[in-house]
Amino acid sequence: MLVAAIRKANDGLGIAAQRRPWLPALPSATVVDLATEPGAGEPSFAWAVQDLPRSQRQEPLTIDLATFGHLHIAGAPRSGRSQALRTIATAAAAAASVADLHLFGLDCGNGALLPISRFPHCGAVVQRSDTERATRLLTRLHQEVQRRQRLLGEGGFADLSEQRAAAPAGERLPHILLLLDRWEGFVGTLGEHDGGALTEIVHTLLREGASAGVHVLIAGDHALLSGRISSLCEEKFVLRLADRTDATMAGLNPRKIPENLPPGRGYRAVSAIEAQVALVAADPSGPAQVAAMHAVAARLTDREAHVARALRPGKIAAMPTQLTYDQAWEAVTEARPGWALIGVGGDELEPVGTDLIADQPTFLIAGPSRSGRSTALAVMAESLLRGGTELVVGAPLRSPLRELAGRPGVRGIVTDDNPSADTLAALVDPGAGPVALLIDDAEGWRDCAARDWLRQLIRQASGTNRAVIIAGEVSAVAAGFSGWQVEVKKNRRGALLSPPAMSAGDLIGVRLSRANLTERVVPGVARVHLGDGTLRTVQIPLLEPTAKAVM
């Protein structure tokens, strides 16, 4: 019965021989028809030409986002699968306004999707080597699906099309296309990250995203035709496969598929309708396709210039590898007493900091040697000084904070490895203005003579314009169950740099996953907790333009 069903479904594969003389053969290359202006209603666009020999005609193969779910494009390397995603992205952007369509790419291959990033519709194209950014992208899309499900439920809408039909133009939720190139590359890298958490998010998007207007288009090898990933998507397009017999997994008869299909030539699953993927330019070479996409992107950027920022896709910015303090400080809109800059983070690379006066008056920085903890403390010190907070610095060992000696606003530098309570009180207590005590290599002061005074300072700092920031070795600072440094740990605020073990999360009041751990020290990248339960990845700037500032 299964064989009979496949034969019945594949009748179209053998009809080419019955083609009438005036019906030409399906072209081996065709150029996509790009819209010059967005169409009315829900976005709809053609991306291939399909052959219908029974009715003796050829017509465009279109995607109508009002009814479209997801799409799998399966094929062997160099079968045209990446080009199919390029064509779909270009045609979709040309046919829809930025307000109606957002694009995101996850490129797990050789960078074929990178030209899409120039489209005004595109929020980001992330490569598989950037695990942190890929995590942010998929997490955001997952959260967006959940947010839309709540909005649709509150409005009584069954799907996104109903919401868009009922809402005013400025309140319509846009369709979102996630283009994932090389599924086999994703499975072998990002798919294994954090115990398969990102793979589970992709599965969730395939299960729940279509009704919320989040559509996933995946290109890959024969693995897309079997297993769990195959069952989550009904629409499949099969290009040339390394083994023709794999076509049976898509409901196709491999004996009726030619051995040498040209790039972009394939069959729709089950129906066996033959189609040819269109190109963006007549020249099929890679450079010509990229140049054509750049030209389209320039035209669309001018066309969509009037669209408000709120209606554009949110960016998933790449974390900078080199960031100076001045670059980070430029994004700070308001420097106020007690506010300390930690670095930049988030999808828009916004300043991340903590208010030591209005919020908790303590902060803990921990990391292994040469992870950048002293630089992080120096960055916070610089921002506190610029905001009008006076500083008292404790530096029992060699530290870049010793260079603050003589700066206006610095009350004193304490280098003694066993300071007394009177020494610290004479520097911290006088005056009513905000004062912050910053201690580098704080584990050296754990049992110092001033330990009882430090404990009392931390317990009573809230509401007194006093704050304490400590930095130290991740395995030694705030260790144990008692002492003045444990009082800092109790406030659940801090930054971890290159945490080597999950137990390090206890220092800042969070539970780390294995994905947050690092096998090697990465200077300047911190996991920051500000007491709200969210662990942020933050890039700490350098006070000097060279890596020599990292201690």
Side-chain angles (χ1 to χ4, degrees):
M1 293 182 64
L2 177 60
V3 173
I6 292 178
R7 287 177 177 174
K8 182 178 181 181
N10 282 257
D11 282 345
L13 287 171
I15 301 298
Q18 303 176 15
R19 189 185 310 278
R20 294 176 183 173
W22 58 83
L23 184 67
L26 197 64
S28 59
T30 183
V31 179
V32 66
D33 185 14
L34 299 177
T36 56
E37 293 295 332
E42 293 291 82
S44 177
F45 53 91
W47 63 283
V49 177
Q50 59 183 343
D51 192 22
L52 304 174
R54 281 191 180 276
S55 55
Q56 295 293 306
R57 73 179 191 274
Q58 295 170 357
E59 62 181 31
L61 179 58
T62 61
I63 290 177
D64 185 352
L65 294 183
T67 57
F68 179 68
H70 309 292
L71 175 64
H72 286 174
I73 302 172
R78 306 191 68 82
S79 63
R81 54 191 183 179
S82 298
Q83 180 60 46
L85 292 182
R86 281 178 167 183
T87 299
I88 290 173
T90 306
S97 168
V98 169
D100 296 322
L101 176 70
H102 295 170
L103 297 174
F104 294 93
L106 191 54
D107 195 320
C108 297
N110 54 5
L113 297 185
L114 291 178
I116 298 172
S117 61
R118 295 201 179 190
F119 293 163
H121 306 68
C122 185
V125 174
V126 182
Q127 294 186 282
R128 63 179 171 182
S129 58
D130 196 342
T131 303
E132 188 272 336
R133 194 177 177 209
T135 301
R136 281 191 281 137
L137 169 61
L138 291 176
T139 301
R140 179 199 276 190
L141 292 179
H142 185 207
Q143 293 172 345
E144 179 64 14
V145 168
Q146 294 177 320
R147 184 183 75 89
R148 291 185 174 203
Q149 288 173 335
R150 290 193 299 269
L151 292 176
L152 295 176
E154 292 169 359
F157 303 116
D159 55 28
L160 187 76
S161 297
E162 292 186 6
Q163 190 274 342
R164 288 176 54 83
E171 299 178 9
R172 295 172 187 163
L173 296 173
H175 288 275
I176 297 176
L177 297 187
L178 172 62
L179 311 173
L180 197 164
D181 194 18
R182 297 273 185 97
W183 174 251
E184 62 274 20
F186 174 87
V187 171
T189 53
L190 296 173
E192 298 178 356
H193 176 70
D194 197 12
L198 299 186
T199 300
E200 188 58 37
I201 291 179
V202 173
H203 290 167
T204 301
L205 295 179
L206 288 168
R207 250 191 339 262
E208 306 175 8
S211 61
V214 178
H215 313 279
V216 183
L217 298 92
I218 305 178
D221 62 8
H222 66 281
L224 288 174
L225 304 178
S226 62
R228 185 180 179 188
I229 189 70
S230 175
S231 65
L232 296 173
C233 178
E234 296 181 358
E235 183 68 23
K236 300 179 180 68
F237 187 70
V238 182
L239 299 165
R240 175 178 53 80
L241 296 170
D243 185 352
R244 279 194 305 163
T245 60
D246 290 334
T248 57
M249 295 185 289
L252 301 175
N253 188 342
R255 290 180 297 177
K256 293 187 177 181
I257 297 177
E259 291 187 5
N260 298 313
L261 288 174
R265 181 69 56 84
Y267 298 89
R268 300 177 65 181
V270 182
S271 67
I273 294 176
E274 186 180 8
Q276 176 67 44
V277 176
L279 300 174
V280 182
D283 185 348
S285 67
Q289 295 298 304
V290 171
M293 293 176 70
H294 288 173
V296 173
R299 174 170 63 83
L300 295 181
T301 299
D302 293 337
R303 190 190 77 182
E304 303 294 326
H306 66 283
V307 178
R309 179 180 175 84
L311 300 179
R312 293 177 177 270
K315 298 297 182 180
I316 311 288
M319 200 68 73
T321 55
Q322 291 290 332
L323 178 70
T324 66
Y325 183 88
D326 290 337
Q327 290 173 333
W329 188 254
E330 287 177 358
V332 177
T333 57
E334 180 183 1
R336 58 187 182 275
W339 188 83
L341 173 69
I342 304 169
V344 299
D347 295 335
E348 301 286 348
L349 294 185
E350 300 172 335
V352 177
T354 181
D355 195 327
L356 298 166
I357 302 300
D359 194 15
Q360 287 289 349
T362 63
F363 196 82
L364 187 151
I365 302 170
S369 176
R370 303 196 64 80
S371 61
R373 60 177 188 260
S374 295
T375 299
L377 190 62
V379 166
M380 298 183 75
E382 180 68 25
S383 59
L384 287 168
L385 287 174
R386 294 191 183 190
T389 301
E390 293 186 296
L391 302 183
V392 177
V393 175
L397 302 179
R398 184 173 63 92
S399 169
L401 273 74
R402 291 188 177 188
E403 300 176 6
L404 295 175
R407 283 278 300 271
V410 179
R411 292 186 172 187
I413 308 290
V414 181
T415 59
D416 190 352
D417 59 1
N418 188 27
S420 66
D422 292 339
T423 300
L424 295 180
L427 294 170
V428 174
D429 289 342
V435 179
L437 173 61
L438 280 64
I439 308 173
D440 200 5
D441 299 303
E443 62 270 20
W445 281 10
R446 183 171 54 192
D447 297 320
C448 68
R451 58 184 179 274
D452 292 335
W453 180 87
L454 286 167
R455 183 189 296 111
Q456 195 71 7
L457 171 66
I458 294 167
R459 288 179 174 178
Q460 299 178 354
S462 182
T464 64
N465 277 345
R466 297 294 183 267
V468 178
I469 306 175
I470 65 174
E473 220 286 331
V474 65
S475 62
V477 70
F481 300 96
S482 62
W484 68 272
Q485 294 183 12
V486 175
E487 298 295 330
V488 176
K489 182 169 66 174
K490 289 179 180 178
N491 287 333
R492 303 174 65 246
R493 306 288 194 280
L496 298 176
L497 294 101
S498 302
M502 289 188 287
S503 59
D506 296 338
L507 294 173
I508 60 174
V510 295
R511 178 177 295 179
L512 297 181
S513 66
R514 293 192 179 276
N516 300 128
L517 307 183
T518 56
E519 297 181 357
R520 60 183 181 87
V521 173
V522 182
V525 178
R527 305 287 192 264
V528 175
H529 182 230
L530 300 178
D532 56 2
T534 300
L535 198 62
R536 299 168 174 83
T537 299
V538 174
Q539 179 67 46
I540 297 171
L542 297 173
L543 290 173
E544 300 289 340
T546 66
K548 294 180 180 179
V550 179
M551 299 296 294

